[in-house]
């Protein structure tokens, strides 16, 4: 209960500008995604985003000596491609937005682990003729990661982050075609960022 | 003889003669066919440039009477024809020619409904469905009685677009 109260106080602290223990950060990296769909038409095929560059920003506030609470938004953009033994073809350019709430625990000086709860918002360049033709889903996502923070002078910290998240993917168009259930989609990413106190 | 538009020719350019509601019938027909795909196999755009079009859709018979589309029983108040020219080296020469024609003496709504159905049917030929279905519930039935592709049409066009083509379109000018 005490822990929950601290979490709530910490979340409120994010709304306060220039809080002493609140940091703002920017990050850039690359992320790889497992297939969104596996199907078979004449031959097996899968649909998967290409490895994608990502950028993001986050706010993070210290709750106590061990825990920090963060709020962030990242975006990744790439080509959604259809792959079969005979060819690889673009389906649609795809942007994915990932707002997330993060709870971070210090493990040792400079090293921390995080748990993430957020959403995946799929934003295709166009919808006609694609699995997003009847709408793009907003999907809950959970994740985890390891980070290493290092001072680079003054108030600036350099962060290297290795992360993983998973969500279950489907669309209305897929369901209408008889795809039952949802597919677990795994993402692994690495990023580099800098942060400073607000 | 297998033809479908390859990925590097997407979106396929369709010219619709600006007469009556023909451009709308072409857009609606294209949307209906695009909706049959999940993986970006086919997309089309309606262009006002007839010279660079991959498919040219024209209307014979003059300006048809204007009328909204209804769900009335199909009346054969029009017909259509698609011409595909293939060279001896299995190259498809653009443009594919789609001609629809309406008949006078029918109520305006019957003409409109027929033109919408037949245009969508002929666009199916332009996509590469070169033969007719033997089922009246399919849009690709010889004399179409429906305006949207059926589940069977969908299965056929998906199979087509995942089959290796032996006819390729000639390069765009």
């Amino acid at each position: 209960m005490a822990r929950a109260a601290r979490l709530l106080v910490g979340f409120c602290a994010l709304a306060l500008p220039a809080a002493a223990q609140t940091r703002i950060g920017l990050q850039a990296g690359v992320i790889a995604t497992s297939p969104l769909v596996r199907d078979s038409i004449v031959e097996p095929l899968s649909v998967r985003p290409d490895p994608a560059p990502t950028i993001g920003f986050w706010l993070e506030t210290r709750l106590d000596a061990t825990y920090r609470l963060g709020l962030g938004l990242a975006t990744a953009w790439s080509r959604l491609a259809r792959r079969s033994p005979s060819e690889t073809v673009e389906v649609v350019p795809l942007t994915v937005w990932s707002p997330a709430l993060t709870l971070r625990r210090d493990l040792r000086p400079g090293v921390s682990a995080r748990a993430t709860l957020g959403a995946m918002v799929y934003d295709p360049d166009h919808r006609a003729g694609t699995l997003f033709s009847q709408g793009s889903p907003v999907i809950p996502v959970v994740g985890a990661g390891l980070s290493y923070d290092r001072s680079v002078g003054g108030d600036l910290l350099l962060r290297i982050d290795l992360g993983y998240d998973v969500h279950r993917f489907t669309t209305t168009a897929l369901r209408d075609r008889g795809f039952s259930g949802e597919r677990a989609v795994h993402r692994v990413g690495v990023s580099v960022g800098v942060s400073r106190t607000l | 003889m297998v033809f479908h538009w390859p990925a590097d020719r997407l979106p396929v350019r369709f010219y619709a003669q600006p007469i009556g509601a023909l451009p709308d019938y072409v857009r609606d027909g294209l949307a209906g066919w695009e909706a049959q795909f999940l993986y970006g196999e086919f997309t089309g755009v309606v262009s006002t440039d007839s010279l660079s079009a991959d498919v040219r859709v024209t209307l014979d018979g003059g300006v048809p009477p204007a009328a909204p589309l209804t769900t009335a029983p199909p009346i054969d108040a029009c017909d259509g024809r698609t011409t595909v020219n293939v060279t001896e080296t299995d190259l498809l020469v653009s443009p594919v020619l789609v001609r629809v024609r309406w008949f006078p003496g029918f109520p305006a709504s019957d003409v409109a409904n027929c033109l919408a159905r037949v245009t969508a049917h002929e666009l199916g030929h332009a996509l590469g469905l070169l033969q007719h279905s033997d089922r009246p519930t399919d849009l690709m039935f010889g004399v179409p009685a429906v305006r949207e592709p059926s589940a069977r049409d969908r299965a056929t066009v998906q199979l087509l677009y995942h089959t290796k083509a032996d006819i390729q379109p000639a390069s765009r000018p």
Side-chain angles (χ1 to χ4, degrees):
Chain A
M1 189 65 180
R3 179 78 70 191
R6 278 203 291 270
L7 284 172
L8 181 59
V9 168
F11 187 83
C12 293
L14 284 175
L16 299 175
Q21 298 198 62
T22 299
R23 299 186 70 85
I24 184 168
L26 296 173
Q27 67 192 40
V30 64
I31 195 157
T33 308
S34 68
L36 306 183
V37 179
R38 290 194 188 277
D39 196 356
S40 183
I41 306 175
V42 179
E43 56 185 356
L45 65 91
S46 66
V47 176
R48 189 178 80 210
D50 287 343
T54 73
I55 58 173
F57 77 93
W58 44 266
L59 289 169
E60 195 172 86
T61 194
R62 183 164 288 284
L63 301 177
D64 57 27
T66 307
Y67 289 92
R68 287 172 275 168
L69 187 67
L71 194 62
L73 177 65
T75 183
W77 61 99
S78 68
R79 177 186 74 155
L80 184 67
R82 164 170 46 98
R83 293 174 170 78
S84 64
S86 59
E87 62 181 357
T88 295
V89 178
E90 175 178 295
V91 176
V92 66
L94 180 66
T95 302
V96 179
W97 300 90
S98 315
L101 192 66
T102 299
L103 183 64
R104 186 176 296 280
R105 188 189 195 281
D106 294 332
L107 301 178
R108 56 177 61 198
V111 179
S112 61
R114 62 175 170 83
T116 302
L117 179 64
M120 298 284 295
V121 182
Y122 283 85
D123 183 14
D125 190 56
H126 63 267
R127 299 177 193 283
T130 76
L131 63 166
F132 301 109
S133 62
Q134 297 180 48
S136 309
V138 176
I139 305 170
V141 61
V142 295
L146 275 176
S147 303
Y148 173 64
D149 290 315
R150 178 193 175 105
S151 175
V152 289
D155 181 45
L156 288 178
L157 288 181
L158 178 74
R159 171 174 290 176
I160 300 172
D161 183 272
L162 182 64
Y164 162 83
D165 61 45
V166 61
H167 63 282
R168 302 197 69 81
F169 179 84
T170 189
T171 67
T172 304
L174 286 172
R175 284 195 295 271
D176 277 0
R177 299 298 175 81
F179 280 85
S180 59
E182 299 164 323
R183 179 172 188 83
V185 175
H186 308 271
R187 304 196 315 163
V188 175
V190 61
S191 67
V192 176
V194 290
S195 71
R196 59 177 281 273
T197 54
L198 273 181
Chain B
M1 189 167 81
V2 177
F3 168 75
H4 60 76
W5 295 97
D8 60 5
R9 285 297 284 265
L10 302 181
V12 177
R13 300 175 194 162
F14 289 77
Y15 168 79
Q17 186 183 5
I19 181 169
L22 184 65
D24 293 330
Y25 299 149
V26 172
R27 281 192 198 90
D28 291 345
L30 276 182
W33 283 111
E34 284 178 337
Q36 306 312 307
F37 297 100
L38 283 175
Y39 309 127
E41 296 92 328
F42 170 78
T43 54
V45 292
V46 178
S47 167
T48 56
D49 180 6
S50 64
L51 293 179
S52 66
D54 300 305
V55 180
R56 198 176 294 166
V57 185
T58 56
L59 177 65
D60 292 341
V63 180
L69 299 179
T70 69
T71 56
I75 302 295
D76 294 336
C78 71
D79 66 8
R81 181 187 188 92
T82 298
T83 305
V84 177
N85 289 318
V86 180
T87 68
E88 290 180 352
T89 53
D90 291 338
L91 280 179
L92 182 142
V93 178
S94 289
V96 172
L97 298 174
V98 173
R99 297 176 69 177
V100 290
R101 175 180 63 165
W102 64 280
F103 306 132
F106 290 92
S109 59
D110 289 339
V111 172
N113 288 338
C114 182
L115 286 175
R117 278 197 316 275
V118 169
T119 300
H121 171 96
E122 298 302 330
L123 291 179
H125 289 315
L127 258 66
L129 295 170
L130 302 179
Q131 295 186 337
H132 285 145
S133 164
D134 59 0
R135 294 198 185 174
T137 51
D138 295 339
L139 176 58
M140 295 313 297
F141 183 64
V143 181
V146 297
R147 199 183 300 156
E148 296 281 343
S150 66
R152 204 157 168 266
D153 291 315
R154 174 192 299 163
T156 303
V157 77
Q158 285 186 346
L159 184 67
L160 171 65
Y161 271 74
H162 287 262
T163 299
K164 183 173 166 52
D166 46 35
I167 297 172
Q168 298 295 325
S171 300
R172 280 177 175 150

